[in-house]
Amino acid sequence: MHLRKLIAGNWKMNKTTSDAVALARDLAAALGQQNDIDVAVCPPFTALESVGKVLDGSIIKLGAQNLHPEASGAFTGEISAPMLRALFVTHVIVGHSERRVLFGETDSFINQKVLTALKHQLRPILCVGENLAEREAGATLRIIQTQIEAAFEGVSKELAPSVIVAYEPVWAIGTGKVATAEQAQEVHGFIRGLLAKLFTETVARKGRILYGGSMKPANAGELLGQKDIDGGLIGGASLEARSFVDLVRAAAEAK
Ligand code: PEP
């Protein structure tokens, strides 16, 4: 069974509100008729409300880049799930490698975020991936297994398919070094097998697994043509309408 592909853009710490609105307008205009693919964009928090208004009525879903496990309280600088829901956010990136590496997020903290997102009907886009040293040491699958098992701890089999996994080899993020289609498929197939072991075959079949790491219009077709690659999480190439739209079209062709 082929799942409907999802292309999600992670705008990271880029775009003022007016720049974000301009990009969202271009995307909504270009992708208005593209209803064979799921599309989401994750602007910075400051632009969520304005971008949400622009996207209202379009096929493009609104995602956030992070959330805190608690609903409210003394957590200066943090954003909660109810705050995101109030802005009609539907997806949230959790455990991005930049948060793991630069902000010290642990597997158990990421697990709390996954559980919180699900509790508030937000779809987590759970990022997992090995760094270069881990790949070179032959530890890729072990690292992925540890991250997935920890992140899914306490998730019910009913809700497990709502977690979108994004395999993002850290060495391929923002570096221009893309994993080969074979390297990516090997890990995606492994993740699907692991979900079947942790939950059921049905969960594994229904759960989407995205690839992320220097995906561009030029390499998207081959990656997205792999049997277990159900879409992409896109950083750099999501910051311009032309490249993001081309990626969405490549996904539509690869389905
Ligand atoms: C990302 O950071 O999620 C990502 C995939 O970035 P890039 O596409 O720029 O490698």
Side-chain angles (χ1 to χ4, degrees), residues 54-176:
V54 173
L55 298 182
D56 191 22
S58 86
I59 59 134
I60 306 171
K61 301 274 194 312
L62 187 63
Q65 297 175 21
N66 190 19
L67 88 171
H68 191 276
E70 296 297 329
S72 63
F75 300 100
T76 303
E78 293 293 319
I79 303 282
S80 72
M83 293 171 184
L84 298 178
R85 290 281 298 166
L87 297 177
F88 307 105
V89 167
T90 54
H91 292 67
V92 60
I93 298 172
V94 169
H96 192 279
S97 63
E98 285 151 17
R99 302 241 27 117
R100 291 177 189 260
V101 174
L102 302 174
F103 301 96
E105 291 196 6
T106 61
D107 281 334
S108 74
F109 193 47
I110 291 161
N111 171 238
Q112 288 176 49
K113 293 181 185 214
V114 169
L115 295 172
T116 298
L118 292 172
K119 185 171 152 206
H120 292 271
Q121 288 89 45
L122 289 163
R123 279 178 167 256
I125 301 177
L126 165 71
C127 302
V128 297
E130 80 289 1
N131 63 30
L132 188 58
E134 290 160 345
R135 173 156 283 268
E136 286 175 351
T140 298
L141 300 183
R142 185 172 52 76
I143 296 292
I144 300 297
Q145 179 162 358
T146 304
Q147 292 176 348
I148 296 264
E149 285 179 353
F152 276 89
E153 181 79 45
V155 174
S156 68
K157 73 171 187 305
E158 289 72 29
L159 287 180
S162 299
V163 180
I164 299 161
V165 176
Y167 169 55
E168 299 209 308
V170 180
W171 47 270
I173 295 181
T175 57

Side-chain angles (χ1 to χ4, degrees), residues 10 12 96 98 168 172-175 212-215 233-237:
N10 173 11
K12 308 195 184 186
H96 192 279
E98 285 151 17
E168 299 209 308
I173 295 181
T175 57
S214 298
M215 197 190 264
L233 180 57
I234 319 297

Side-chain angles (χ1 to χ4, degrees), residues 5-20:
K5 296 238 187 303
L6 167 66
I7 297 292
N10 173 11
W11 295 359
K12 308 195 184 186
M13 195 175 72
N14 293 294
K15 311 265 175 216
T16 60
T17 299
S18 59
D19 292 342

